[in-house]
Amino acid sequence: MAANPVPRLVRRPRAVLVDLAGVLHVGDEAIAGSVDALARLRAAGLPLRFLTNTTRTPRRTLVAKLQRMGFDITDDELHTAPHAAQRLVRERGLKPLYLVHPDLAAEMGPSADVPDAVVLGDMGHHLDYAQLNAAFRLLMAGSTFIAMAKNRYFMEADGLSLDMGAFVAGLEFSSGVTAEIAGKPAASFFRTALAEVDVAPADAVVIGDDLHDDVGAALAAGIPAILVRTGKFRVGDDADPAIRPTFVADDFADAVTRLLALP
Amino acid sequence: MAANPVPRLVRRPRAVLVDLAGVLHVGDEAIAGSVDALARLRAAGLPLRFLTNTTRTPRRTLVAKLQRMGFDITDDELHTAPHAAQRLVRERGLKPLYLVHPDLAAEMGPSADVPDAVVLGDMGHHLDYAQLNAAFRLLMAGSTFIAMAKNRYFMEADGLSLDMGAFVAGLEFSSGVTAEIAGKPAASFFRTALAEVDVAPADAVVIGDDLHDDVGAALAAGIPAILVRTGKFRVGDDADPAIRPTFVADDFADAVTRLLALP
């Protein structure tokens, strides 16, 4: 596969989009140096948005958890896949069956009595055959399929774990219906975050640990992207022939140091 | 896609491979005329094998269930995906983690303490995130991936239901490891059944309701194949441009009548 031209960074970006899990923290632990690095980014006055495809946790809980780890982050700055899914539902007047983690159910609202769409989140350990089968039957009957994310795996404290992308791919395989992805790697997910801070793609930067869904997706949306060697980063990700990050940093702190060194 | 040449049937076949669910029965109900049609086939003296990708149920239970519905079938004639998987495990000296329905666990035997393979069956309502994640981690560490089947869906009494193919496809998507399929549509599955009755592929016939995994797979293995309009058959399956059955029958009884009318 031919590599796309890599968006370069010759000046300090005008906005920074930061992936959360694997960049700022792993599980409940802040990654070394990242709390301080975020403070340095703030001190530089750059508009920030925090991106997450995590769909097990309501926004408020997520912000509280990040604040407990010492990160200076507000509700408004958090750009989540569940909210992106809700935007699609509203824009199109859909009546979904929500398959989501119980913790997220209140944020989504009740499923419709007669759904015309399936909105799939990460059910985690609440994954349930009967619910997946209900979704399958709706898809076979012509319902719209929106998946909050299609990540392959994520980093937990004890290792890489299976992410909801497996169940999106599985339902797509059996039903023949392709899901629309609300979160990363959808270009619309990055662009709505940038629209909020009124910065053009080429003037921003994404920092992420996922070669495909952070870096590759950002590059495809015209946004320079930094890959960090933390979280789900695996040896060889920094030498992929098809996806070439704007640069590769050891971790978030290193990425911030190098961004702030730009003129 | 160009259609393969369709193996024709100009003489009565020398062996008949019969798919079970959707051909002889749906759920616990025999399909009208099928008990009598099987008796006619037996009376003609043709060697028979019954194929099933059902992996929720031990062989003995399955045979008992078929006998209760009135079908004259013996244990030895049942060719199941779990047994095909066990053959692969034995041939290669693998030490698997078995992810199977609890009813099938005894037939498979215990999982290895330190597995080097994942053998996936249909867990049905016992599907469980923790177990799928254990399989995912083994695959990421280089384990062999054997799936008993990769069917998209199957017919239950209340409609089409999501089959285990969704979870095979999902694990493949997240791990990047492609599963070897033990049951249908693997050519080896059909060929070992025919080897038992010592009949060449071109001299046999498969009767099934699944356009892809029965008919398409049999044709690819060089075996003539009859599609029946029962079970998971859906309108349009009989006009697929890529998979053209040897002939299409209304149901199993019609298929048998037409086979026995051949010289």
Side-chain angles (χ1 to χ4, degrees):
Chain A
M1 198 192 307
N4 286 322
V6 178
R8 294 177 61 209
L9 270 177
V10 291
R11 279 177 310 184
R12 192 184 282 194
R14 296 188 45 235
V16 184
L17 306 183
V18 185
D19 176 47
L20 287 175
V23 175
L24 293 190
H25 67 97
V26 171
D28 290 328
E29 297 285 331
I31 291 175
S34 61
V35 169
D36 173 64
L38 181 60
R40 284 188 283 137
L41 212 47
R42 284 236 180 265
L46 287 171
L48 306 175
R49 284 295 181 272
F50 300 91
L51 311 181
T52 179
N53 270 13
T54 297
T55 67
R56 290 188 187 180
T57 317
R59 181 147 84 166
R60 198 180 318 153
T61 311
L62 210 52
V63 169
K65 175 176 140 174
L66 290 161
Q67 289 172 340
R68 266 199 309 278
M69 289 186 244
F71 294 107
D72 172 18
I73 288 177
T74 64
D75 275 29
D76 288 351
E77 292 174 322
L78 202 58
H79 199 67
T80 74
H83 278 82
Q86 288 301 70
R87 187 181 309 115
L88 294 175
V89 165
R90 273 197 312 274
E91 282 171 6
R92 299 182 197 168
L94 295 172
K95 292 171 287 183
L97 168 70
Y98 291 105
L99 293 192
V100 297
H101 195 284
D103 290 348
L104 198 71
E107 196 165 311
M108 293 294 108
S111 289
D113 290 334
V114 184
D116 62 7
V118 171
V119 173
L120 183 64
D122 180 2
M123 291 183 282
H125 289 270
H126 298 269
L127 185 82
D128 173 49
Y129 175 80
Q131 289 199 72
L132 287 176
N133 195 34
F136 167 75
R137 290 179 170 190
L138 282 170
L139 297 178
M140 292 299 273
S143 290
T144 299
F145 188 9
I146 294 176
M148 293 184 183
K150 198 182 174 183
N151 292 55
R152 289 169 169 78
Y153 44 77
F154 65 106
M155 178 55 87
E156 286 195 295
D158 64 345
L160 290 183
S161 283
L162 188 64
D163 207 336
M164 64 168 289
F167 307 106
V168 179
L171 282 170
E172 288 180 332
F173 172 79
S174 284
S175 69
V177 178
T178 302
E180 175 169 358
I181 312 303
K184 301 179 289 180
S188 62
F189 186 69
F190 295 96
R191 288 189 181 133
T192 51
L194 287 179
E196 285 176 12
V197 294
D198 196 22
V199 169
D203 295 331
V205 68
V206 166
I207 305 177
D209 64 326
D210 187 314
L211 181 69
H212 296 273
D213 291 341
D214 294 328
V215 174
L219 296 175
I223 312 172
I226 300 169
L227 178 67
V228 291
R229 292 194 183 90
T230 55
K232 75 177 73 170
F233 174 86
R234 304 185 85 214
V235 175
D237 280 358
D238 47 359
D240 191 280
I243 304 178
R244 291 162 51 201
T246 302
F247 66 80
V248 183
D250 287 341
D251 53 22
F252 181 64
D254 181 36
V256 168
T257 300
R258 290 164 70 175
L259 283 177
L260 295 181
L262 292 170
Chain B
M1 198 191 312
N4 286 322
V6 178
R8 294 179 59 209
L9 270 177
V10 290
R11 280 177 311 186
R12 192 184 281 196
R14 297 190 41 236
V16 184
L17 307 183
V18 185
D19 176 47
L20 287 176
V23 176
L24 294 190
H25 67 97
V26 171
D28 291 327
E29 297 285 330
I31 290 175
S34 60
V35 169
D36 173 65
L38 181 60
R40 285 188 283 136
L41 212 46
R42 284 238 179 263
L46 287 171
L48 305 175
R49 284 295 180 273
F50 301 90
L51 311 180
T52 179
N53 270 13
T54 297
T55 68
R56 290 188 186 182
T57 316
R59 183 148 84 165
R60 197 179 319 152
T61 310
L62 211 52
V63 169
K65 175 175 140 174
L66 290 161
Q67 289 172 340
R68 265 199 310 278
M69 289 187 245
F71 294 106
D72 173 17
I73 289 176
T74 64
D75 275 29
D76 289 349
E77 291 174 323
L78 202 57
H79 198 66
T80 74
H83 279 80
Q86 288 303 68
R87 188 181 307 116
L88 294 175
V89 166
R90 274 197 312 275
E91 281 171 5
R92 299 182 197 169
L94 296 171
K95 294 172 286 183
L97 167 71
Y98 291 105
L99 292 192
V100 297
H101 195 283
D103 290 349
L104 198 72
E107 195 164 311
M108 292 295 107
S111 289
D113 290 335
V114 184
D116 62 7
V118 171
V119 174
L120 182 65
D122 181 1
M123 293 183 279
H125 288 271
H126 298 268
L127 184 82
D128 173 51
Y129 175 80
Q131 289 199 72
L132 287 176
N133 195 33
F136 166 75
R137 289 179 170 191
L138 283 170
L139 297 178
M140 292 298 274
S143 290
T144 300
F145 188 10
I146 294 176
M148 294 185 183
K150 198 182 174 182
N151 293 55
R152 288 169 170 77
Y153 45 77
F154 65 107
M155 178 54 88
E156 287 195 293
D158 63 345
L160 289 182
S161 282
L162 188 63
D163 207 336
M164 64 168 289
F167 307 106
V168 179
L171 282 169
E172 289 180 331
F173 172 79
S174 283
S175 70
V177 178
T178 302
E180 177 169 356
I181 311 303
K184 301 178 290 181
S188 62
F189 185 70
F190 295 96
R191 288 187 182 137
T192 51
L194 287 179
E196 285 177 11
V197 294
D198 196 22
V199 169
D203 295 332
V205 68
V206 167
I207 306 177
D209 65 325
D210 186 315
L211 181 69
H212 295 273
D213 291 342
D214 295 327
V215 174
L219 296 175
I223 312 171
I226 300 168
L227 178 67
V228 290
R229 293 194 183 91
T230 55
K232 73 176 74 169
F233 174 87
R234 303 184 85 215
V235 174
D237 281 356
D238 48 359
D240 191 280
I243 303 177
R244 291 160 51 198
T246 301
F247 66 80
V248 181
D250 286 341
D251 52 22
F252 181 65
D254 181 36
V256 169
T257 300
R258 290 165 69 175
L259 284 177
L260 295 181
L262 292 169

Short mmCIF file of all heavy atoms in Angstrom, two decimals, chain B residues 17-26 31 38 49-54 62-63 66 71 73 77-80 184 207-209 214 230:
data_model
loop_
_atom_site.label_atom_id
_atom_site.label_comp_id
_atom_site.label_asym_id
_atom_site.label_seq_id
_atom_site.Cartn_x
_atom_site.Cartn_y
_atom_site.Cartn_z
N LEU B 17 -25.17 -36.68 1.23
CA LEU B 17 -24.79 -35.96 2.45
C LEU B 17 -25.91 -34.97 2.75
O LEU B 17 -26.20 -34.09 1.93
CB LEU B 17 -23.46 -35.22 2.26
CG LEU B 17 -22.27 -36.05 1.76
CD1 LEU B 17 -21.00 -35.17 1.69
CD2 LEU B 17 -22.02 -37.25 2.66
N VAL B 18 -26.52 -35.10 3.91
CA VAL B 18 -27.71 -34.31 4.23
C VAL B 18 -27.41 -33.37 5.38
O VAL B 18 -27.03 -33.81 6.48
CB VAL B 18 -28.88 -35.23 4.63
CG1 VAL B 18 -30.15 -34.41 4.84
CG2 VAL B 18 -29.11 -36.32 3.57
N ASP B 19 -27.57 -32.09 5.15
CA ASP B 19 -27.51 -31.12 6.24
C ASP B 19 -28.73 -31.33 7.14
O ASP B 19 -29.80 -31.75 6.66
CB ASP B 19 -27.51 -29.71 5.66
CG ASP B 19 -27.54 -28.64 6.73
OD1 ASP B 19 -26.77 -28.74 7.70
OD2 ASP B 19 -28.35 -27.71 6.60
N LEU B 20 -28.58 -31.04 8.41
CA LEU B 20 -29.68 -31.34 9.34
C LEU B 20 -30.63 -30.16 9.56
O LEU B 20 -31.74 -30.15 9.03
CB LEU B 20 -29.10 -31.79 10.70
CG LEU B 20 -28.49 -33.19 10.71
CD1 LEU B 20 -27.85 -33.48 12.07
CD2 LEU B 20 -29.57 -34.23 10.41
N ALA B 21 -30.17 -29.16 10.32
CA ALA B 21 -31.07 -28.06 10.70
C ALA B 21 -31.49 -27.28 9.46
O ALA B 21 -30.65 -26.89 8.64
CB ALA B 21 -30.39 -27.13 11.70
N GLY B 22 -32.79 -27.08 9.30
CA GLY B 22 -33.30 -26.34 8.16
C GLY B 22 -33.60 -27.23 6.96
O GLY B 22 -34.22 -26.79 6.00
N VAL B 23 -33.15 -28.49 7.02
CA VAL B 23 -33.42 -29.43 5.92
C VAL B 23 -34.34 -30.54 6.42
O VAL B 23 -35.40 -30.78 5.86
CB VAL B 23 -32.11 -30.03 5.36
CG1 VAL B 23 -32.41 -31.09 4.29
CG2 VAL B 23 -31.23 -28.93 4.78
N LEU B 24 -33.91 -31.21 7.51
CA LEU B 24 -34.77 -32.24 8.09
C LEU B 24 -35.72 -31.66 9.15
O LEU B 24 -36.82 -32.15 9.34
CB LEU B 24 -33.93 -33.36 8.72
CG LEU B 24 -33.09 -34.22 7.76
CD1 LEU B 24 -32.53 -35.43 8.51
CD2 LEU B 24 -33.90 -34.67 6.56
N HIS B 25 -35.21 -30.64 9.85
CA HIS B 25 -36.03 -30.10 10.95
C HIS B 25 -35.73 -28.62 11.17
O HIS B 25 -34.70 -28.11 10.72
CB HIS B 25 -35.74 -30.87 12.25
CG HIS B 25 -34.34 -30.64 12.76
ND1 HIS B 25 -34.04 -29.72 13.74
CD2 HIS B 25 -33.15 -31.19 12.40
CE1 HIS B 25 -32.74 -29.71 13.97
NE2 HIS B 25 -32.16 -30.60 13.17
N VAL B 26 -36.65 -27.94 11.85
CA VAL B 26 -36.39 -26.60 12.38
C VAL B 26 -36.68 -26.66 13.87
O VAL B 26 -37.81 -26.98 14.25
CB VAL B 26 -37.26 -25.52 11.69
CG1 VAL B 26 -37.13 -24.19 12.43
CG2 VAL B 26 -36.86 -25.35 10.24
N ILE B 31 -39.48 -31.10 9.48
CA ILE B 31 -40.09 -30.39 8.35
C ILE B 31 -41.03 -31.37 7.63
O ILE B 31 -40.70 -32.56 7.45
CB ILE B 31 -39.00 -29.85 7.41
CG1 ILE B 31 -38.25 -28.70 8.12
CG2 ILE B 31 -39.59 -29.37 6.08
CD1 ILE B 31 -37.06 -28.15 7.36
N LEU B 38 -36.78 -39.45 4.13
CA LEU B 38 -35.56 -40.13 4.56
C LEU B 38 -35.75 -41.64 4.48
O LEU B 38 -34.84 -42.38 4.06
CB LEU B 38 -35.18 -39.71 5.98
CG LEU B 38 -33.90 -40.35 6.52
CD1 LEU B 38 -32.69 -40.00 5.64
CD2 LEU B 38 -33.63 -39.92 7.96
N ARG B 49 -24.76 -39.73 5.02
CA ARG B 49 -24.09 -39.06 6.12
C ARG B 49 -24.86 -37.78 6.41
O ARG B 49 -25.35 -37.13 5.49
CB ARG B 49 -22.63 -38.73 5.80
CG ARG B 49 -21.69 -39.93 5.85
CD ARG B 49 -21.58 -40.48 7.27
NE ARG B 49 -20.69 -41.63 7.39
CZ ARG B 49 -21.05 -42.90 7.21
NH1 ARG B 49 -22.30 -43.19 6.86
NH2 ARG B 49 -20.18 -43.87 7.37
N PHE B 50 -24.95 -37.45 7.68
CA PHE B 50 -25.68 -36.26 8.10
C PHE B 50 -24.68 -35.25 8.62
O PHE B 50 -23.89 -35.56 9.52
CB PHE B 50 -26.73 -36.61 9.13
CG PHE B 50 -27.72 -37.60 8.60
CD1 PHE B 50 -27.50 -38.98 8.75
CD2 PHE B 50 -28.82 -37.18 7.88
CE1 PHE B 50 -28.38 -39.90 8.21
CE2 PHE B 50 -29.71 -38.10 7.33
CZ PHE B 50 -29.50 -39.47 7.49
N LEU B 51 -24.69 -34.08 8.02
CA LEU B 51 -23.69 -33.05 8.32
C LEU B 51 -24.29 -32.00 9.23
O LEU B 51 -25.41 -31.55 8.99
CB LEU B 51 -23.23 -32.36 7.04
CG LEU B 51 -22.83 -33.25 5.87
CD1 LEU B 51 -22.41 -32.38 4.69
CD2 LEU B 51 -21.69 -34.18 6.28
N THR B 52 -23.54 -31.59 10.21
CA THR B 52 -24.03 -30.47 11.01
C THR B 52 -22.89 -29.64 11.56
O THR B 52 -21.90 -30.16 12.04
CB THR B 52 -24.95 -30.94 12.16
OG1 THR B 52 -25.36 -29.78 12.89
CG2 THR B 52 -24.25 -31.90 13.11
N ASN B 53 -23.08 -28.32 11.47
CA ASN B 53 -22.18 -27.37 12.11
C ASN B 53 -22.69 -26.99 13.50
O ASN B 53 -22.10 -26.14 14.14
CB ASN B 53 -22.05 -26.10 11.25
CG ASN B 53 -20.91 -26.20 10.25
OD1 ASN B 53 -20.38 -27.29 10.03
ND2 ASN B 53 -20.54 -25.08 9.66
N THR B 54 -23.77 -27.58 13.93
CA THR B 54 -24.28 -27.32 15.27
C THR B 54 -23.23 -27.75 16.28
O THR B 54 -22.75 -28.87 16.23
CB THR B 54 -25.57 -28.11 15.54
OG1 THR B 54 -26.56 -27.65 14.63
CG2 THR B 54 -26.06 -27.90 16.96
N LEU B 62 -28.04 -35.10 20.00
CA LEU B 62 -28.55 -34.73 18.67
C LEU B 62 -29.23 -35.93 18.00
O LEU B 62 -30.33 -35.81 17.45
CB LEU B 62 -27.35 -34.27 17.83
CG LEU B 62 -27.56 -33.22 16.76
CD1 LEU B 62 -28.27 -32.00 17.31
CD2 LEU B 62 -26.19 -32.80 16.20
N VAL B 63 -28.58 -37.09 18.08
CA VAL B 63 -29.17 -38.29 17.48
C VAL B 63 -30.48 -38.64 18.18
O VAL B 63 -31.49 -38.95 17.53
CB VAL B 63 -28.16 -39.47 17.53
CG1 VAL B 63 -28.86 -40.77 17.16
CG2 VAL B 63 -26.99 -39.21 16.61
N LEU B 66 -33.21 -36.35 16.98
CA LEU B 66 -33.66 -36.68 15.63
C LEU B 66 -34.51 -37.93 15.63
O LEU B 66 -35.52 -38.02 14.93
CB LEU B 66 -32.44 -36.85 14.71
CG LEU B 66 -31.69 -35.54 14.42
CD1 LEU B 66 -30.27 -35.82 13.91
CD2 LEU B 66 -32.46 -34.71 13.39
N PHE B 71 -36.82 -39.66 12.77
CA PHE B 71 -35.80 -39.92 11.75
C PHE B 71 -35.00 -41.18 12.11
O PHE B 71 -34.59 -41.36 13.25
CB PHE B 71 -34.85 -38.74 11.61
CG PHE B 71 -35.51 -37.51 11.07
CD1 PHE B 71 -35.77 -36.42 11.91
CD2 PHE B 71 -35.89 -37.43 9.74
CE1 PHE B 71 -36.40 -35.30 11.42
CE2 PHE B 71 -36.51 -36.29 9.24
CZ PHE B 71 -36.77 -35.22 10.09
N ILE B 73 -31.79 -42.54 12.07
CA ILE B 73 -30.40 -42.08 11.97
C ILE B 73 -29.59 -42.74 13.08
O ILE B 73 -30.07 -42.85 14.21
CB ILE B 73 -30.33 -40.53 12.12
CG1 ILE B 73 -30.90 -39.86 10.87
CG2 ILE B 73 -28.91 -40.05 12.39
CD1 ILE B 73 -30.96 -38.35 10.96
N GLU B 77 -23.52 -42.21 11.60
CA GLU B 77 -23.79 -41.46 10.36
C GLU B 77 -23.71 -39.95 10.55
O GLU B 77 -23.79 -39.20 9.58
CB GLU B 77 -25.20 -41.81 9.85
CG GLU B 77 -25.28 -43.24 9.35
CD GLU B 77 -26.70 -43.62 9.00
OE1 GLU B 77 -27.64 -43.17 9.71
OE2 GLU B 77 -26.89 -44.36 8.01
N LEU B 78 -23.58 -39.54 11.82
CA LEU B 78 -23.59 -38.10 12.09
C LEU B 78 -22.17 -37.54 12.00
O LEU B 78 -21.27 -37.97 12.72
CB LEU B 78 -24.16 -37.88 13.50
CG LEU B 78 -24.72 -36.50 13.78
CD1 LEU B 78 -25.81 -36.13 12.78
CD2 LEU B 78 -25.29 -36.47 15.19
N HIS B 79 -21.98 -36.58 11.11
CA HIS B 79 -20.67 -36.00 10.85
C HIS B 79 -20.72 -34.57 11.39
O HIS B 79 -21.29 -33.68 10.77
CB HIS B 79 -20.42 -36.02 9.34
CG HIS B 79 -19.00 -35.87 8.95
ND1 HIS B 79 -18.03 -36.81 9.24
CD2 HIS B 79 -18.36 -34.87 8.30
CE1 HIS B 79 -16.86 -36.41 8.76
NE2 HIS B 79 -17.04 -35.23 8.19
N THR B 80 -20.10 -34.33 12.56
CA THR B 80 -20.28 -33.04 13.25
C THR B 80 -19.01 -32.19 13.22
O THR B 80 -17.89 -32.69 13.20
CB THR B 80 -20.69 -33.24 14.73
OG1 THR B 80 -19.54 -33.68 15.47
CG2 THR B 80 -21.81 -34.26 14.86
N LYS B 184 -18.36 -27.23 8.06
CA LYS B 184 -18.66 -26.56 6.81
C LYS B 184 -18.21 -25.11 6.91
O LYS B 184 -18.33 -24.54 7.99
CB LYS B 184 -20.16 -26.60 6.52
CG LYS B 184 -20.72 -28.00 6.43
CD LYS B 184 -22.23 -27.99 6.20
CE LYS B 184 -22.99 -27.51 7.42
NZ LYS B 184 -24.43 -27.50 7.25
N ILE B 207 -27.29 -32.06 0.19
CA ILE B 207 -28.58 -31.36 0.26
C ILE B 207 -28.53 -30.39 1.44
O ILE B 207 -28.32 -30.82 2.58
CB ILE B 207 -29.76 -32.33 0.45
CG1 ILE B 207 -29.74 -33.40 -0.64
CG2 ILE B 207 -31.10 -31.58 0.46
CD1 ILE B 207 -30.85 -34.47 -0.47
N GLY B 208 -28.71 -29.10 1.17
CA GLY B 208 -28.61 -28.13 2.25
C GLY B 208 -29.47 -26.90 2.03
O GLY B 208 -29.94 -26.65 0.92
N ASP B 209 -29.65 -26.13 3.12
CA ASP B 209 -30.46 -24.90 3.05
C ASP B 209 -29.60 -23.64 3.06
O ASP B 209 -30.13 -22.55 2.94
CB ASP B 209 -31.46 -24.85 4.22
CG ASP B 209 -30.76 -24.74 5.57
OD1 ASP B 209 -29.66 -25.33 5.73
OD2 ASP B 209 -31.30 -24.08 6.47
N ASP B 214 -23.39 -24.72 2.71
CA ASP B 214 -23.73 -26.05 2.21
C ASP B 214 -23.45 -26.13 0.70
O ASP B 214 -22.60 -26.89 0.26
CB ASP B 214 -25.23 -26.37 2.43
CG ASP B 214 -25.60 -26.46 3.91
OD1 ASP B 214 -24.75 -26.88 4.71
OD2 ASP B 214 -26.75 -26.10 4.24
N THR B 230 -36.15 -24.29 2.41
CA THR B 230 -36.64 -24.37 3.80
C THR B 230 -35.52 -23.83 4.69
O THR B 230 -34.45 -23.46 4.22
CB THR B 230 -36.99 -25.82 4.19
OG1 THR B 230 -35.83 -26.65 3.94
CG2 THR B 230 -38.17 -26.35 3.39
#
